[in-house]
Amino acid sequence: MTSANFDLEDLRRRMAGAISVLRHDLGSLRTGRASASLLDPVTVDAYGSPTPVNQLATISVPEPRLLSVQVWDRNLVGAVEKAIRESELGLNPNTEGQVIRLRIPEMNEQRRKEMVKVAHKYGEEAKVAIRHVRRDGMELLKKLEKNGEISEDDGKRLGEQVQKATDAAVAEVDQLVAAKEKEIMQV
């Protein structure tokens, strides 16, 4: 009935991948509360190559507004501290031996609005990725229809399924961004 060349599940998987990237990006946004994923974008020059902090230390949240970074290698404490200080997170490390404590400062209204803009930007990037997947699927359907591998009716039916999958993915993106915006704006 349909060509083996068209795989709706593959398109859905690719759309889910874009949503997964969005979840990760939103998770690393600062909301005024401590979260271990806050340090995900921070990399340290360790052993001659850039390494994420979470591969060099144990990151925990002992209090709602405090991060504790237990660096495993004593020789890297200074490098981890420097990387955190130079990141754009606005955090000021306080080092005690191999433990770096990070107080999460209260966010002002302007900073919250900036974070919301970043969240919306991430959401728009995810929507663009989803639309690219949709475009690829629709182009493949047109090509299969043109080559006579599927009927016009099958092409139309599968096109509607691609559009439904796209609409569902875009709705999920909107929902994730709205939830993050609400979390950021809570005082």
Side-chain angles (χ1 to χ4, degrees):
M1 183 165 141
T2 61
S3 171
N5 293 339
F6 182 77
D7 185 0
L8 185 62
E9 284 309 307
D10 180 55
L11 293 177
R12 285 190 177 124
R13 243 187 324 278
R14 289 170 55 198
M15 289 177 187
I19 292 170
S20 174
V21 168
L22 174 65
R23 284 182 198 277
H24 178 267
D25 289 347
L26 291 177
S28 66
L29 274 183
R30 214 174 108 194
T31 60
R33 269 184 260 132
S35 164
S37 62
L38 187 63
L39 296 178
D40 284 355
V42 179
T43 57
V44 179
D45 187 26
Y47 313 115
S49 66
T51 310
V53 170
N54 60 11
Q55 292 181 15
L56 300 170
T58 302
I59 302 169
S60 60
V61 185
E63 297 173 25
R65 300 178 50 84
L66 180 71
L67 279 178
S68 176
V69 181
Q70 172 78 44
V71 183
W72 300 321
D73 185 345
R74 184 181 311 274
N75 299 324
L76 291 176
V77 173
V80 171
E81 182 181 0
K82 181 181 177 198
I84 293 170
R85 186 172 283 116
E86 291 177 354
S87 71
E88 295 178 8
L89 296 173
L91 299 175
N92 192 17
N94 180 5
T95 306
E96 300 166 11
Q98 286 179 246
V99 178
I100 300 171
R101 298 193 198 295
L102 303 164
R103 282 246 166 251
I104 309 298
E106 192 70 48
M107 287 181 20
N108 62 24
E109 190 69 18
Q110 179 184 357
R111 186 76 176 127
R112 288 178 192 280
K113 287 178 180 175
E114 288 171 14
M115 288 291 125
V116 168
K117 283 181 187 175
V118 172
H120 282 281
K121 185 184 90 159
Y122 288 159
E124 199 49 48
E125 289 169 0
K127 287 179 185 180
V128 167
I130 289 166
R131 289 183 197 117
H132 284 308
V133 173
R134 176 192 174 279
R135 183 198 61 214
D136 293 346
M138 296 305 243
E139 285 176 358
L140 178 60
L141 286 175
K142 285 179 185 153
K143 183 177 151 196
L144 293 173
E145 204 176 302
K146 182 180 171 198
N147 294 343
E149 295 179 45
I150 62 172
S151 69
E152 192 177 323
D153 288 345
D154 282 344
K156 197 171 268 186
R157 182 180 52 77
L158 289 169
E160 288 171 2
Q161 289 178 359
V162 169
Q163 187 58 51
K164 280 183 186 171
T166 303
D167 293 345
V170 167
E172 187 173 349
V173 166
D174 288 338
Q175 181 182 0
L176 289 169
V177 171
K180 189 65 175 187
E181 180 177 353
K182 181 178 177 190
E183 182 184 341
I184 290 170
M185 293 310 286
Q186 280 180 344
V187 178

